[in-house]
Structures are given as C-alpha cells and as structure tokens.
Amino acid sequence: MTKVIKSFDEYKEVYQRSVEDPEGFWAEQAETFTWQKKWDKVVEWDFHNLDVKWFVNGKMNITENCLDRHLADRGDQTAILWEANDPKAPNKTYTYRQLYEAVNRTANALKANGIQKGDRVCFYMPMVPELAIAVLACARIGAVHSVVFAGFSASALADRIKDSECKMVICSDFNDRGAKHIPVKAVVDEAIALGCDSVKTVLVHQSTGDPLAFNSAIDKWWHEEVDHQSAECPAEQMDAEDMLFILYTSGSTGKPKGVVHTCGGYMVYTAYSFKNVFQYDDGDIYWCTADIGWITGHSYIVYGPLLAGATTVMFEGVPTYPDAARFWQTIEKLKVTHFYTAPTAIRALMAMGDQYTEGHDFSSLKVLGSVGEPINEEAWHWYQDKIGGGKLPIADTWWQTETGGILITPLAGVTPTIPSYATFPMPGVQPCLVDTNGVELEGDNVEGMLCIKYPWPSIIRTTYGDHERCKQTYFSTFPGKYFTGDGARRDHDGMYRIIGRVDDVINVSGHRIGTAEVENAINQHPQVVESAVVGYPHDIKGQGIYAYVIATGVISDEQQFIKEVLAVVTKVIGPIAKPDKIQVVTGLPKTRSGKIMRRILRKVAAGETDSLGDTSTLLNPEIVEEIKTGAK
Ligand code: 7RM
C-alpha cells in the first residue's frame, strides 16, 4: 500500500505534487492493487464532450482486491461484523476467507441463473450481510448492481428496474427494522406487477422466515440457489472502464438519474480516500451507520473498507431502537474505533437528552466522521464532547453520489478541523469556486458555486442510458468544469465551508430529494391542479419539505385532503419524501413568463416574511398576502 498521509506538512506536500503531476500521483496509488493487466495511460479526459477514462486498458476485478488479495495475510480476520436489529441477537461475522467463499458461492448462483457480464441486477434489501455478499458477487462476475434503498415505494422501485432493464431482483422476505416488521418481498411483487418485463428471476433471501406469496415462475430461494454452489468462482476480467454499478439519485429536474461508476477508478479512489480520511489501522473496528442503499454505504461500508482489509460493521437497525442509546451501546459492545454517521442522526440523538450517552464506555473510539449534509456547530460540539470525549478528530466529509468518494474533508487527526468546515480537498482533487457567470473566484474569503476542474478516478462517467443528460446536468453550466450543485465559502486559510445546494434539490435527513419529483408525486392526486415544493430549515432533519398545493374546487375537509396527498407521495416515492408541511393555496406567485417564484415560497416556508423583496413585478402579486397569512 502507498503511504498514508501522516502530518499536515506531508498533506501540503502531497497535495502540491498531486496538482503538478496528477498522472504520477494516481499511478502510484493504483500500483498497490492487483491488476490482471496494467493500464496503458493513467487518464484521458474531456469535460466538454464528457469522456473520462482512468487507467486506460487496465484489466482487473475489484473483488480480487477486496477478497483474494487479503486471504494470505488476513484470511481469519473479521471482514464484516453484523449487528442485528434486535440488540439481544448474536452478532454475525464473516472473516475474509468466509466472505470470499460466500461471495463466490453467490456468484456461481447468479451465473447458474443466467446472469452474465454486463447484465443489471437490482437489489431491494435491508442491511443484512447477504446484501454486501451479493453486491460483491455481481462485481465478481461483471454484472452491474443497482441497489435501491429499501424504503422506496414499489412504484419508485419499478421505475428504477425499468430504467436499467434489470434481469434479476435480489430481496429479503421480510425485515425487522426498529419495531416495524416490513414485508420487503411483497413490495418487489408489487413493483414487478407494474410491468418490469426485463426481470426473469427474483432471488429471495430468507431473513425472518415468515410465510409469503411465492410465484415459482420467477421466484427462487437464496438458500436453494446459493448454498450448494462451489466456493470458487473465477473473477471475471474487467476493463477498468467497465461499469461496476448504477445508483439512482435525485436531481433538480425530472426522474432520478442512474449515476454510473466504473471498476478501476472507483476501486482506486474509494480505497485511497478510506485509508487517508479515516486513518484506519490494523485491528480497528470501523462503523459507518449509512444504508448500502446510498452511496455512503457503497463506498464506505462495502468497497473502501474491504479494499483496505478493514473490519467493517453492518447495522440492521435504527438509532432509536430499542431506545436512543442504541448507537452508544453498540460502540461499547463492539469496541468500535471509527464511527461515521450523519448530522441528522446526531441532532436527533442530541435532542433526546444526555441520559442516553451517559455511562457508556467510548474509550475504544479514535475517529468520528460526519456525512450527508452540513453539520451545524452545535451538533459538531455535542458530537465531539459527548461521544469524542472532548478530543477526538471529526472528519466532516463532503462528497456526492456522483463523486463516488470523499473529496473535501479533514484527514482525521492529521489536518486541522473547524466546526462546520469540510476544510481541505483530498490530494488529487482540484476544487474551485465560480460566480454566476462562471468566472473563477481567486484568492481566499470568497463565496461561490463549487466546481471541480480536474477529474479524479471515481468521477461519474455517465447517467445510465442518457449520456447527454449527464453532460447537461454536470458539465454544461460551467463549461470545462464539473458543477456540484453546491454553494461554498473559502476562508482566509483556504478552508472550504459547504453552504448547501443552490439548485432545486433538498437534503432531508441527509437524503437527497428533488423538489420536482415530489411535485410530480403530489400532482398525481386527482384534486391537485398544481404544486410547488421547497425546502426550509428544520432543527433535526436539516431541511424539511414544504409543499404549496392548489386544489380543484372547494376542499371541504382540508385535513383529509392533506392526508390523501401524503399517501400519494408515499405511494409514488416512499415515506422519505413526505412533505412536513402542506399549505393549500389558490395560486402560486409567478413571473410574467409563468415561472414560479420559488424564492418567495422559500422565504415564506422559512418564516422570513419580512424580507420577501420586491413582489410588484409578479403576474399575481395579490397571492403573496394569501400565502403569507396561510403559512404553516
Ligand atoms: C455522500 C452524500 C450529496 C449532497 C451534496 C451536499 C450534501 C454531503 C456534506 C454535504 C455539507 C457535508 N451523497 N453534503 N456531505 N453538505 N457538508 N459534509 O451525501 O449524493 O446523497 O448527497 O449532500 O449538498 O451535494 S448524496
């Protein structure tokens, strides 16, 4: 392995080198992996026509690097340490050798069911070890995984299955999560009934064993397909630029996009960032509380840690079950050294009161991490004081589904931290701030839109089935640069503070939700004429969802109507997209060209009605009074 950065001076040196000689820098990182054939060229890129290739013509398989490579040195070390929803249930562990065997068996089962290199396999599965195992099994044989967070509705699942024409869906029978008993497979059945004709097989893992409807034409039991398979499955030779996975994410317009990541660059970047950000040492126990349904779980529960030969914790439950001490008890029980979670969880647990953190032994902890949304100063200090004993480093990691890995962050315990700052870019990452005209803002103490001006190995390659959309969304606003959609400040020391999205994406409890998506869902209610959705500051969730809705005719029972609208959103997207507030209005503020003035709606939602600015140029200025008066 290449050396991990161990001091701030070294960071500055390595950063400088990564800018002066990016190809040399990344070649050195890549050389530490097992390649079946070395690359011819480190990088070829064109942000104008969007064509990015890393480790050109290199051949490899990411699972050989996650598994085979570790067998000699750490075959008996725990790779996955699973904590069940029920705190009294025993932990399940997989050593690197056991994981290797489980992945190979599953890979053979996928092949036996007709899955070949390039085929897409959809996952709709809770946080059980078999999710990680089957994801790796796909990668082993070159199938493309598309994990859909198991909180999405059947209709959202069906959209994603159809968009990438998945040949197989892998799911669980049921899932116990918190106090809920969730019929997972039934949601898949409902999705398939919505016309997912590409699906030939639904592979069902028996997780709880409760009875369920089984359609022997396409349904197959995991244990019947997997258990008898051989524990050896040769790793498919993949080109560095072959697709590794698709992960759907929300944008400011239209349907969610299938973000595509490829094998070689994603491997190099997730391993490199994992080791340097978290400063993981042999014997450490690393726990990222995300769900594998999101990018954080892909990169920093599965791939990054396993590539680094780490012990990675997988948690099935929720932070508040059986009570709000669950995280803290689990840290103590598993002797967790690295704890990586989201600000929304910290704020929620902070609000429950200190009785839940008190009395727990946090002495195993060395590093804390934060991801998904800006962390406010109060939460940062609480996290450091109550969990980190007043001293542990907090890595506030900024990144996106599209970036594949962490781009701006402290290196834990190595580079300086300031509450609410993501601080410095990783070596190899070249951020910049631009004004609305795309002019780069030089120097410090500036604020603008965050772009990246040079590719890094795990940059998004395309959006599945629509390359043009990818180009438009990320590379056309500021030609020649990758545009993140975030606004940021750079302070007098060159440290970055992420402000938040500057587009119509809202970040609710660390989950990205497109306002257009929620509007489309609301509009499916037969009595809705038009709607406008905005985000507003929310103490726990970071942002809440505020929906303004115009209804047909007279709504006699507004409470009932709101209930129905919420039910429609749950059905179309899932409970995570349910508006926190719904205001029924008779009109929406529009410009003379008919565009909704979202700025006004955002202000009203935030309760800032004194600073609406000039509304006289609106097509319908009279509506502003009504909206202000009726604000929730
Ligand atoms: C990893 C992940 C991406 C969006 C991104 C930001 C926001 C993420 C931070 C953050 C401030 C952070 N991927 N974001 N991390 N904002 N500080 N440390 O969350 O694709 O789901 O979301 O999340 O707005 O653009 S994501």
Side-chain angles (χ1 to χ4, degrees):
M1 275 294 149
T2 43
K3 257 181 61 201
V4 167
I5 297 164
K6 290 289 173 192
S7 72
F8 192 27
D9 283 339
E10 199 185 332
Y11 162 81
K12 290 180 218 165
E13 226 171 85
V14 174
Y15 188 85
Q16 192 56 31
R17 158 142 204 245
S18 79
V19 174
E20 282 161 10
D21 177 21
E23 297 198 31
F25 173 78
W26 286 116
E28 241 171 58
Q29 294 298 333
E31 266 153 16
T32 61
F33 294 88
T34 304
W35 293 85
Q36 295 164 358
K37 179 189 163 289
K38 207 180 154 174
W39 57 91
D40 297 330
K41 194 165 185 327
V42 173
V43 62
E44 273 172 14
W45 64 290
D46 173 356
F47 276 179
H48 292 281
N49 297 304
L50 185 51
D51 185 14
V52 179
K53 292 190 182 74
W54 279 91
F55 311 111
V56 182
N57 293 327
K59 307 287 177 197
M60 39 74 69
N61 186 293
I62 197 167
T63 69
E64 284 190 320
N65 287 281
C66 288
L67 303 169
D68 310 44
R69 188 168 52 120
H70 299 314
L71 291 182
D73 288 348
R74 44 179 106 246
D76 296 326
Q77 181 202 306
T78 301
I80 294 179
L81 170 51
W82 183 70
E83 168 81 13
N85 181 60
D86 175 1
K88 292 194 272 318
N91 289 108
K92 255 190 221 167
T93 62
Y94 286 81
T95 64
Y96 271 92
R97 177 165 302 284
Q98 289 167 333
L99 184 61
Y100 167 88
E101 291 178 355
V103 168
N104 284 338
R105 282 205 178 86
T106 312
N108 283 322
L110 295 181
K111 281 208 230 170
N113 279 283
I115 300 300
Q116 298 174 351
K117 179 174 176 176
D119 287 344
R120 276 80 57 211
V121 174
C122 179
F123 288 75
Y124 190 76
M125 223 172 172
M127 288 287 286
V128 289
E130 288 75 13
L131 168 55
I133 289 166
V135 156
L136 291 165
C138 283
R140 186 82 177 169
I141 64 169
V144 176
H145 52 81
S146 168
V147 183
V148 176
F149 174 60
F152 279 114
S153 69
S155 129
L157 172 61
D159 286 346
R160 287 157 175 78
I161 292 173
K162 287 179 195 169
D163 185 73
S164 46
E165 295 172 296
C166 295
K167 218 165 153 182
M168 181 187 268
V169 179
I170 305 184
C171 66
S172 299
D173 51 356
F174 291 82
N175 175 229
D176 290 315
R177 196 154 182 270
K180 291 194 196 124
H181 186 63
I182 302 160
V184 180
K185 160 73 160 53
V187 180
V188 175
D189 291 347
E190 212 184 316
I192 304 270
L194 292 169
C196 299
D197 302 333
S198 58
V199 176
K200 302 292 172 255
T201 314
V202 176
L203 187 63
V204 189
H205 177 256
Q206 208 168 47
S207 183
T208 68
D210 295 271
L212 50 69
F214 202 80
N215 168 7
S216 50
I218 62 167
D219 296 344
K220 297 211 171 156
W221 286 113
W222 172 290
H223 53 271
E224 286 174 8
E225 299 302 310
V226 172
D227 291 357
H228 67 276
Q229 297 287 348
S230 151
E232 293 296 330
C233 174
E236 186 76 33
Q237 183 170 98
M238 303 298 282
D239 187 272
E241 281 301 330
D242 280 339
M243 211 180 287
L244 175 62
F245 68 85
I246 304 167
L247 185 58
Y248 287 86
T249 194
S250 296
S252 51
T253 53
K255 289 191 308 177
K257 295 178 284 274
V259 171
V260 170
H261 284 290
T262 57
C263 297
Y266 181 81
M267 170 177 80
V268 171
Y269 198 85
T270 52
Y272 154 77
S273 53
F274 174 78
K275 287 180 291 181
N276 281 283
V277 172
F278 296 105
Q279 300 280 312
Y280 182 93
D281 287 322
D282 269 347
D284 287 347
I285 310 281
Y286 164 90
W287 180 16
C288 165
T289 69
D291 190 290
I292 293 176
W294 311 111
I295 191 68
T296 305
H298 281 64
S299 302
Y300 299 110
I301 296 177
V302 182
Y303 287 111
L306 295 178
L307 286 164
T311 298
T312 180
V313 173
M314 232 180 122
F315 175 45
E316 183 181 35
V318 297
T320 49
Y321 179 83
D323 63 34
R326 184 62 191 274
F327 275 179
W328 322 130
Q329 269 158 1
T330 306
I331 289 173
E332 180 172 351
K333 173 167 115 186
L334 303 179
K335 300 195 166 42
V336 169
T337 55
H338 292 65
F339 182 68
Y340 187 31
T341 195
T344 187
I346 298 168
R347 287 191 299 261
L349 296 173
M350 179 170 84
M352 307 289 284
D354 289 348
Q355 71 267 33
Y356 293 103
T357 53
E358 279 160 11
H360 292 290
D361 181 3
F362 293 131
S363 62
S364 57
L365 282 174
K366 302 198 231 178
V367 169
L368 301 176
S370 172
V371 59
E373 43 174 330
I375 179 165
N376 48 307
E377 290 197 34
E378 193 193 355
W380 196 100
H381 285 295
W382 185 88
Y383 196 25
Q384 187 171 63
D385 293 345
K386 302 290 173 185
I387 312 303
K391 59 175 194 296
L392 293 187
I394 298 178
D396 178 357
T397 64
W398 175 86
W399 58 297
Q400 310 178 294
T401 307
E402 296 86 344
T403 68
I406 297 165
L407 296 195
I408 304 183
T409 179
L411 308 181
V414 171
T415 64
T417 59
I418 302 184
S420 81
Y421 278 72
T423 72
F424 295 111
M426 294 287 296
V429 174
Q430 300 186 32
C432 64
L433 299 175
V434 301
D435 67 16
T436 41
N437 300 317
V439 177
E440 192 176 332
L441 303 167
E442 304 283 350
D444 293 335
N445 283 318
V446 286
E447 186 172 318
M449 279 166 286
L450 180 62
C451 296
I452 320 280
K453 51 185 179 181
Y454 192 89
W456 62 99
S458 60
I459 185 176
I460 180 174
R461 298 301 195 272
T462 190
T463 48
Y464 192 84
D466 196 348
H467 194 62
E468 198 49 38
R469 186 170 179 205
C470 184
K471 227 157 87 174
Q472 278 301 322
T473 310
Y474 306 103
F475 298 90
S476 71
T477 318
F478 304 113
K481 296 184 177 73
Y482 168 79
F483 175 42
T484 64
D486 281 318
R489 269 194 68 75
R490 188 169 55 225
D491 79 355
H492 51 274
D493 291 319
M495 285 198 188
Y496 287 87
R497 176 184 192 150
I498 310 298
I499 296 163
R501 303 288 308 193
V502 295
D503 55 6
D504 290 320
V505 170
I506 44 188
N507 194 323
V508 184
S509 302
H511 299 151
R512 250 168 89 164
I513 295 173
T515 54
E517 255 178 283
V518 183
E519 288 163 7
N520 289 338
I522 292 174
N523 297 350
Q524 289 190 26
H525 186 289
Q527 267 175 286
V528 171
V529 180
E530 196 181 2
S531 62
V533 167
V534 297
Y536 71 97
H538 187 288
D539 283 349
I540 305 284
K541 300 178 174 187
Q543 280 188 298
I545 305 178
Y546 196 117
Y548 299 88
V549 178
I550 308 177
T552 47
V554 184
I555 299 291
S556 53
D557 184 345
E558 193 172 299
Q559 283 318 309
Q560 175 59 26
F561 173 67
I562 288 174
K563 246 195 221 157
E564 287 172 21
V565 170
L566 292 174
V568 173
V569 174
T570 304
K571 194 168 162 51
V572 176
I573 307 176
I576 57 171
K578 275 197 308 198
D580 299 271
K581 295 183 184 177
I582 295 180
Q583 182 180 348
V584 180
V585 295
T586 63
L588 293 165
K590 294 208 173 156
T591 63
R592 285 178 201 276
S593 57
K595 272 185 77 174
I596 298 174
M597 283 283 273
R598 288 173 181 279
R599 185 179 55 80
I600 293 174
L601 297 177
R602 278 191 212 107
K603 287 261 182 197
V604 173
E608 296 167 10
T609 43
D610 295 341
S611 55
L612 293 184
D614 183 16
T615 56
S616 62
T617 57
L618 288 173
L619 192 65
N620 50 349
E622 70 288 349
I623 201 69
V624 175
E625 247 347 275
E626 178 203 312
I627 289 178
K628 268 164 67 174
T629 317
K632 301 263 160 166

